[in-house]
Amino acid sequence: MIDFKNVNFSYEKGEPVLKDINFSIEEGESVGLIGCNGAGKSTLMKVLLGLLPHEGEIKVGDLTVSKETLPAVRRKIGFVFQDSDNQMFMPTVYEDMMFGPTNYGHTKEEAAARVDEVLEELNLTYLKNKYNHKISGGEKRMAAIATILTMRPKVILMDEPSIALDPENRRRVINAINKLSTTKLIASHDLDMILDTCSRVILMHDGEIIADGPVEKILTDRELLETNHMELPFKLQGLQIKNN
Ligand SMILES: Nc1ncnc2c1ncn2[C@@H]1O[C@H](COP(=O)(O)OP(=O)(O)O)[C@@H](O)[C@H]1O
Ligand SMILES: [Mg+2]
């Protein structure tokens, strides 16, 4: 579903931010992209979305990401921004959710049916007619996820979906992620969230992929995580102490 072959990128000449990135993600996989601040996670997502130019080859399904295929690529990928304010631009949640499907040619009735279905699925019907500027940060994050889902994307990218959320809203976002059966790539340094939502982890550091494997292998590897400026998930710290 997603395929990176020898992908390189730099914002400024001579300062590579993505260095020879290679990986594939199969349809239906849920993959965590982890790494400390500055590792290159957000850049990798922007390159995958075609928002930044790249060297090498990126494929989404059978589409090669390029300027020419951008509209088609965008139809396949739903992207939840780190800052939900950048995503919600209509007055109400309902209008934001209607925008995508109607923009892609669905009738108002079809779009409205999708909106209701997604809101119900995520237990968010109460948000439908709320004003975006009057809802909380947690609700906004949930509304942003709901908005993406009305487009029925093949792939969902999320950049730090749990950042700045209180525990209750963080849990709601985790539950929402786990309900989605699409292919998912989730960038975060919240390793407990990754543990709860992903089966595979790609670890980046300084623009390179350092490790790629099952979540239970990588997130239990204290030495690997600490070498790359991260810590074991809280959930596993207790177990680790007992073992030492
Ligand atoms: N717009 C930009 N211009 C120049 N450098 C950038 C820009 N955005 C990010 N960088 C640099 O690219 C590197 C990777 O950043 P980023 O992809 O945001 O990492 P992460 O999401 O893992 O924290 C960092 O060194 C960062 O300073
Ligand atoms: Mg980032």
Side-chain angles (χ1 to χ4, degrees):
M1 198 71 212
I2 301 175
D3 197 28
F4 273 59
K5 257 198 205 111
N6 307 114
V7 174
N8 288 277
F9 171 79
S10 16
Y11 291 101
E12 281 155 54
K13 251 200 175 143
E15 288 173 38
V17 172
L18 298 180
K19 305 172 188 168
D20 197 32
I21 300 291
N22 287 284
F23 67 89
S24 300
I25 296 177
E26 300 298 319
E27 187 162 3
E29 267 194 294
S30 194
V31 180
L33 183 62
I34 67 169
C36 60
N37 283 335
K41 306 180 295 296
S42 297
T43 303
L44 187 148
M45 292 197 152
K46 287 177 189 161
V47 164
L48 169 55
L49 280 163
L51 294 172
L52 299 169
H54 63 273
E55 280 171 31
E57 190 182 60
I58 302 176
K59 292 187 98 174
V60 178
D62 45 18
L63 283 170
T64 302
V65 177
S66 71
K67 261 192 191 148
E68 291 70 40
T69 59
L70 218 51
V73 169
R74 290 290 169 74
R75 283 191 79 147
K76 287 198 166 191
I77 304 181
F79 182 44
V80 181
F81 291 87
Q82 183 163 339
D83 176 2
S84 316
D85 280 334
N86 289 335
Q87 184 140 7
M88 312 298 283
F89 55 94
M90 303 290 277
T92 66
V93 172
Y94 177 71
E95 288 163 288
D96 252 315
M97 291 183 73
M98 288 290 283
F99 183 82
T102 46
N103 198 33
Y104 279 149
H106 293 281
T107 64
K108 223 182 148 196
E109 289 71 32
E110 283 168 349
R114 280 193 188 194
V115 168
D116 285 342
E117 188 186 301
V118 170
L119 286 173
E120 209 163 294
E121 172 77 12
L122 298 179
N123 293 322
L124 293 176
T125 304
Y126 74 99
L127 283 182
K128 184 170 170 178
N129 294 308
K130 290 252 160 82
Y131 285 97
N132 281 320
H133 69 277
K134 285 191 183 167
I135 60 180
S136 73
E139 288 170 333
K140 225 176 250 185
R141 192 78 45 86
M142 292 297 293
I145 294 172
T147 300
I148 293 305
L149 293 183
T150 60
M151 306 289 287
R152 300 197 178 146
K154 292 259 181 238
V155 179
I156 292 182
L157 304 186
M158 296 188 179
D159 199 359
E160 306 282 2
S162 64
I163 208 159
L165 294 184
D166 62 33
E168 193 181 330
N169 279 302
R170 182 177 164 280
R171 184 50 57 189
R172 292 180 78 187
V173 167
I174 289 173
N175 291 341
I177 293 172
N178 283 334
K179 274 191 177 176
L180 311 176
S181 54
T182 50
T183 311
K184 288 168 268 181
L185 181 63
I186 304 170
S188 185
H189 49 245
D190 176 353
L191 299 191
D192 279 86
M193 189 263 299
I194 296 294
L195 187 64
D196 281 352
T197 54
C198 298
S199 54
R200 172 180 161 199
V201 171
I202 295 176
L203 190 164
M204 286 185 78
H205 187 63
D206 206 9
E208 289 181 272
I209 293 182
I210 305 294
D212 180 349
V215 75
E216 62 275 12
K217 183 159 171 252
I218 291 184
L219 295 189
T220 53
D221 191 336
R222 180 192 290 250
E223 199 186 324
L224 176 70
L225 294 174
E226 288 182 355
T227 310
N228 293 290
H229 309 282
M230 284 170 291
E231 286 182 347
L232 284 177
F234 291 121
K235 242 188 210 169
L236 301 178
Q237 286 186 9
L239 292 174
Q240 197 68 21
I241 291 162
K242 272 185 221 151
N243 292 341
N244 280 348

